[in-house]
Amino acid sequence: MTSTIRRWVETDTGHRVPNHRSKCRNFHGHRYRWEAELEGDVVDEGGASEEGMLIDFNDVSRILKEHIHDVLDHAFVVFEGDASALDALSALGDDHRTLVVPFIPTAENLAKWAFLQVAPHISSTYGNNLRLAAFHVRETPKSWASWVP
Ligand SMILES: [Zn+2]
């Protein structure tokens, strides 16, 4: 029997979808929600701090802060092939927070990216088969994408 837990963090992040037929080609931003879904067995070691948990939610929060929030909050994500956007962003100087990625920054692609950022940091000392099972990204209150490897 496995259990799942979810924890999310939010960022204010800009992007654009350069090939989009309509308004998504414009520079704009979202209040993104980055939600990690973890799966495993509940820790049954008597007296352990994590007894009855998959992992301490605070540990997941710390990982999301370091590897998602602190990279993307008040940043602009840009596709490495989007030459005109890269030109515009470079004009803002080196201290502008820009994340260049090798994919068009749609919610679907960002969900996979976020999964790959976070997965290596999910571990447990309890042998409870803990792993990152999926990553969900909310771009707007009505729009979510998920990556499930
Ligand atoms: Zn957008």
Side-chain angles (χ1 to χ4, degrees):
M1 295 291 285
T2 58
S3 298
T4 62
I5 62 168
R6 296 181 178 202
R7 179 88 183 200
W8 51 258
V9 66
E10 289 187 324
T11 67
D12 296 312
T13 304
H15 81 150
R16 81 175 191 129
V17 180
N19 303 328
H20 192 254
R21 76 175 80 88
S22 182
K23 61 185 180 181
C24 292
R25 67 171 53 236
N26 297 309
F27 278 25
H28 66 282
H30 298 283
R31 180 72 175 179
Y32 282 97
R33 182 173 294 180
W34 308 88
E35 185 174 288
E37 180 177 343
L38 282 67
E39 184 176 281
D41 304 318
V42 169
V43 172
D44 61 1
E45 187 173 315
S49 177
E50 288 85 355
E51 184 179 7
M53 307 175 183
L54 292 185
I55 183 175
D56 193 320
F57 281 118
N58 286 325
D59 291 338
V60 184
S61 180
R62 178 178 43 77
I63 293 165
L64 291 175
K65 179 182 186 315
E66 179 178 351
H67 299 283
I68 300 293
H69 178 274
D70 292 354
V71 176
L72 288 174
D73 192 45
H74 289 75
F76 196 95
V77 183
V78 61
F79 172 43
E80 66 184 7
D82 189 350
S84 55
L86 285 168
D87 282 351
L89 290 160
S90 69
L92 298 175
D94 290 340
D95 62 342
H96 185 269
R97 187 180 281 185
T98 302
L99 179 67
V100 181
V101 293
F103 52 81
I104 293 173
T106 58
E108 293 89 336
N109 286 336
L110 288 168
K112 181 179 180 181
W113 174 86
F115 184 99
L116 295 173
Q117 295 298 115
V118 169
H121 305 286
I122 301 297
S123 64
S124 171
T125 57
Y126 296 104
N128 61 332
N129 301 312
L130 182 69
R131 64 186 182 86
L132 186 61
F135 213 100
H136 312 284
V137 174
R138 187 198 72 179
E139 195 172 74
T140 76
K142 294 189 287 188
S143 306
W144 287 84
S146 298
W147 171 253
V148 183

